[in-house]
Amino acid sequence: MSHTILTLPGDGIGPEILASARTVLDTLGHFEYEEQALGGASIDLHGTALTDEVLDRCRASDAVLLAAVGGPKWDTTDPSKPRPEQGLLGLRKGLGLFANIRPVRPSPALLDASPLKRERIEGTDLIVVRELTGGIYFGDSGRDGDTAHDDCLYTVPEIERIAKVGFELARRKVTSVDKANVLETSRLWRETVTRVAEGEAKPLDHLLVDNAAMQLVSRPADFDVILTENLFGDILSDEAAMLTGSLGMLPSASLGDRSGPGLFEPVHGSAPDIAGTGAANPLAMLGSAALMLRHAFGLENEAGALESAIDSALEAGLRTADLGGSATTEQATKAVLEHL
Ligand code: IPM
Ligand code: MG
């Protein structure tokens, strides 16, 4: 059976790393591709970061593979102007992708590439489970003269469904992260997650987000699933990425209720400063393709083979610029293919 992958190269280094993913995917199976514009690329074409047509094409696909959006060309603080990020947020909301899964497992070869000491990060194998369609990202917002506001809103069903995903993915325990000492939404979060945990076999603990930020660098190997709301998950996952040595290493999967396609994208952005130079690290993009093979198509063997090939290529010395080396995107792609 052939799967249709809707590809969204987006902006900056996006097209370069997406090309790398397609090369690698083509050695693993037969896939049909359809490419569409998102983010700045779509603003240039249509004046909006996500058109209804592209959203419909995404809905009709088996999986959406996205590279990155954004860039200085479209940077603005004017609320009446379109921003590339609106495309990504519109896609997440439009496809109902409430569960963002960001696995953080430093490749053994990169244990010395992290700014943290090897002894600290050894054994780290955690998953950030981030709520993706609620909270402050999607609350009412606005500006009135010298005043601006962004409302944070969560409902019990929204918290319940993401908490269940957290427990499904947990191997040892769930650590729920909130700011229940200050925020009402966090107190509802804590109560609701605690209630969901009563029907689960795995233990639950709670951390306040400021404390979690500290624990994540002082004892990362103790975490299993970090379950948290949209904004806290955004911040903590960038922090967690540095455990792997580079933001260029972290893949992600965004899933909904399974009635439609999932979205697979690297956690990093469009790196406009190195766009077009051929120096981008494609490994987070390739890791995201592996997550797509696993979560969208059930191709566990192929997903595992790709992940091992990434590890082996690093073991054999592959280092792109972000990891202190000089390998190009093309060389990195070749190195992974050699180990596949
Ligand atoms: C991410 C990104 C996005 C987010 C931006 C580009 C809107 O930082 O996926 O983590 O904030 O969710
Ligand atoms: Mg982010």
Side-chain angles (χ1 to χ4, degrees):
M1 189 181 71
S2 169
H3 303 286
T4 303
I5 303 170
L6 195 300
T7 60
L8 300 166
D11 310 317
I13 60 168
E16 299 161 58
I17 58 173
L18 194 61
S20 166
R22 279 185 63 159
T23 306
V24 172
L25 283 168
D26 283 338
T27 68
L28 287 167
H30 178 70
F31 303 104
E32 304 285 339
Y33 299 96
E34 175 179 336
E35 186 165 300
Q36 296 288 350
L38 180 79
S42 172
I43 293 176
D44 286 351
L45 287 171
H46 310 290
T48 169
L50 170 67
T51 64
D52 292 342
E53 198 213 323
V54 170
L55 184 56
D56 282 344
R57 296 308 301 151
C58 288
R59 284 201 183 103
S61 72
D62 296 316
V64 181
L65 193 59
L66 164 70
V69 294
K73 182 174 175 195
W74 308 280
D75 241 347
T76 174
T77 56
D78 181 346
S80 68
K81 294 235 173 73
R83 284 194 62 99
E85 292 79 4
Q86 290 162 346
L88 181 55
L89 300 179
L91 210 53
R92 289 171 177 172
K93 194 71 170 180
L95 297 174
L97 305 173
F98 63 86
N100 185 225
I101 296 161
R102 300 185 159 179
V104 182
R105 186 186 51 87
S107 187
L110 293 183
L111 285 176
D112 296 310
S114 168
L116 292 168
K117 289 199 195 75
R118 163 185 280 272
E119 310 82 81
R120 281 266 142 111
I121 50 179
E122 241 163 9
T124 298
D125 183 5
L126 62 88
I127 309 174
V128 178
V129 176
R130 168 187 175 194
E131 200 290 326
L132 202 59
T133 51
I136 199 166
Y137 272 60
F138 292 97
D140 181 52
S141 68
R143 212 198 282 203
D144 185 9
D146 289 342
T147 308
H149 71 105
D150 296 278
D151 293 353
C152 183
L153 189 144
Y154 268 112
T155 66
V156 167
E158 281 176 321
I159 303 167
E160 278 173 354
R161 63 183 183 179
I162 190 69
K164 284 182 190 144
V165 173
F167 279 100
E168 265 162 41
L169 292 175
R171 295 143 298 178
R172 290 184 286 120
K173 63 167 175 176
V174 171
T175 303
S176 174
V177 172
D178 60 37
K179 189 71 186 171
N181 55 345
V182 177
L183 302 176
E184 200 52 50
T185 43
S186 278
R187 289 189 273 270
L188 185 69
W189 180 278
R190 194 173 278 222
E191 266 172 30
T192 307
V193 174
T194 302
R195 205 168 48 242
V196 169
E198 280 161 12
E200 300 284 343
K202 286 155 216 147
L204 166 74
D205 55 16
H206 302 277
L207 279 184
L208 297 172
V209 63
D210 46 350
N211 187 234
M214 185 269 281
Q215 307 275 354
L216 195 52
V217 285
S218 61
R219 49 168 194 97
D222 288 349
F223 288 98
D224 179 10
V225 160
I226 296 179
L227 169 68
T228 192
E229 64 141 272
N230 205 344
L231 181 63
F232 300 158
D234 177 49
I235 299 167
L236 292 179
S237 56
D238 267 32
E239 187 190 7
M242 284 318 287
L243 303 169
T244 67
S246 166
L247 190 51
M249 295 301 301
L250 216 61
S252 85
S254 303
L255 306 173
D257 64 6
R258 300 302 180 130
S259 63
L263 172 79
F264 303 85
E265 56 165 330
V267 169
H268 64 71
S270 61
D273 50 323
I274 59 162
T277 65
N281 178 355
L283 297 181
M285 183 80 244
L286 297 181
S288 305
L291 292 178
M292 176 183 74
L293 294 169
R294 174 176 297 125
H295 291 287
F297 307 147
L299 297 172
E300 178 55 43
N301 289 342
E302 287 81 351
L306 178 47
E307 286 164 347
S308 309
I310 294 171
D311 280 346
S312 307
L314 290 164
E315 211 70 63
L318 166 67
R319 297 287 185 278
T320 40
D322 56 312
L323 295 168
S326 61
T328 62
T329 311
E330 216 182 304
Q331 287 164 341
T333 309
K334 260 201 202 117
V336 172
L337 284 176
E338 270 161 28
H339 290 92
L340 197 57

